[in-house]
Amino acid sequence: MKKSWTETYTRWSPKGSYLVTFHAKGVALWGGEHFKQIQRFAHPGVQLINFSPSERYLVTFRPMQEQGTSEDVQSIIIWEVFTGTKKRGFHADMSQADDRQWPIFKWSHDGTYFVRNSKGVLSVCETLSMGLLDKKSILVDGGSEFVWSTLADMLAFWVSEQNKIPARVTILAIPSKK
């Protein structure tokens, strides 16, 4: 029996399939019929996590390391839960308000897509390729909050009033962008 399950704290996955424990070298997933360690993800200094709705992907976040390091720092990593494979890494600019909100990515209802808002640009990515949808982001000048539909691949976002142009709400079908 383990004396210490975690070095900091624990979190459950959305469906309760996994218990995540946090360690200096990364995080570990526990679960299954015999409640044993299922997977480990090496991402030193992780402080926050988020799962896709289906629990297929895990997002880990660690704050930027001290300046002066020559290593390519990826503060955010998306992992495939079943294989433990790193699917994609991202940088976070903590001077940007959008990068200080957690979760930094919002997932579509079925986890097929995820989106990140950065400086009025929505970057919609497909989970199969982990690449940008149509290799283009969506400019949302003055855009604020955005949410996915809980039933379909549709994004809704709000744009504030600007230069005497009234505020509006836009609903965008994904992947067609209509």
Side-chain angles (χ1 to χ4, degrees), residues 34-167:
H34 301 290
F35 202 76
K36 62 181 186 173
Q37 187 178 39
I38 295 171
Q39 201 62 262
R40 292 183 346 190
F41 303 94
H43 193 191
V46 168
Q47 292 185 0
L48 298 169
I49 62 160
N50 185 32
F51 281 89
S52 65
S54 64
E55 299 181 343
R56 181 176 178 184
Y57 299 100
L58 171 69
V59 182
T60 58
F61 168 77
R62 73 168 179 197
M64 296 293 277
Q65 291 183 341
E66 295 176 24
Q67 291 185 356
T69 177
S70 61
E71 114 182 59
D72 181 28
V73 178
Q74 294 183 333
S75 297
I76 305 161
I77 297 178
I78 298 179
W79 306 88
E80 187 171 41
V81 170
F82 304 123
T83 64
T85 306
K86 176 182 173 180
K87 299 303 284 183
R88 185 163 177 198
F90 297 86
H91 297 281
D93 182 353
M94 299 316 287
S95 67
Q96 298 296 318
D98 295 328
D99 283 359
R100 289 192 305 260
Q101 292 182 328
W102 190 259
I104 202 160
F105 299 117
K106 292 187 180 178
W107 295 88
S108 63
H109 74 287
D110 61 359
T112 304
Y113 303 97
F114 60 95
V115 65
R116 179 180 187 177
N117 183 13
S118 182
K119 301 178 191 172
V121 175
L122 295 179
S123 299
V124 180
C125 295
E126 301 173 278
T127 54
L128 285 179
S129 67
M130 288 290 158
L132 196 57
L133 180 65
D134 297 333
K135 299 183 181 178
K136 293 187 279 185
S137 294
I138 302 164
L139 179 62
V140 185
D141 193 28
S144 184
E145 183 64 25
F146 67 97
V147 293
W148 282 103
S149 164
T150 57
L151 299 174
D153 291 331
M154 294 190 303
L155 274 173
F157 56 90
W158 172 74
V159 176
S160 61
E161 180 180 347
Q162 296 179 42
N163 303 326
K164 298 186 180 183
I165 298 172

